[in-house]
Amino acid sequence: MTKQEQLLDELVECEIRRRQLEERAAALREELGLTGTRPKQSRHISPAGRARIAEAQRKRWAAANGDKAQQRATPQAAALKRRWAAFRAGTGPRPGAKEGLKPVGKPERKKVEWTPAMRKKAAERMRRVNREMAKRRSAAA
């Protein structure tokens, strides 16, 4: 059995366990009488309200940081802003990075190509699982 087939089998088993847990949770909710709960409603702020909040925040920032706004208008700040823009565009190094050091990140993951045989095997297993789950549901009802 190849690594891909092992991973596929593990994925299908996880799906089976997830479905079983969801069914058990639904049964528990039903026993507790929690099936008729209504969804939580979200609250909205009007655009005018958002504008008032933003203006108040700007005033608080100005009061706390006084002359820092003037300091940012220096040529050094403009140069730093250009370096960050180049970094975000992918055309320059990270500002402040040491020369010669490579950034540490996640290694590239190799994309797995599914073969027709792997797809067929997964589909067959999922059909079998669905049949088993349907039998359990009908037996429980």
Side-chain angles (χ1 to χ4, degrees), residues 61-86:
W61 190 89
N65 297 304
D67 61 320
K68 284 187 180 179
Q70 294 171 351
Q71 291 175 358
R72 287 190 75 191
T74 64
Q76 294 87 359
L80 182 62
K81 196 172 188 178
R82 280 193 302 275
R83 288 195 299 272
W84 274 110

Side-chain angles (χ1 to χ4, degrees), residues 3-4 7 109-115 118-119:
K3 177 78 171 174
Q4 290 176 342
L7 292 174
R109 288 187 66 189
K110 188 175 181 182
K111 187 173 180 181
V112 176
E113 293 292 328
W114 282 50
T115 63
M118 290 169 64
R119 290 181 192 277

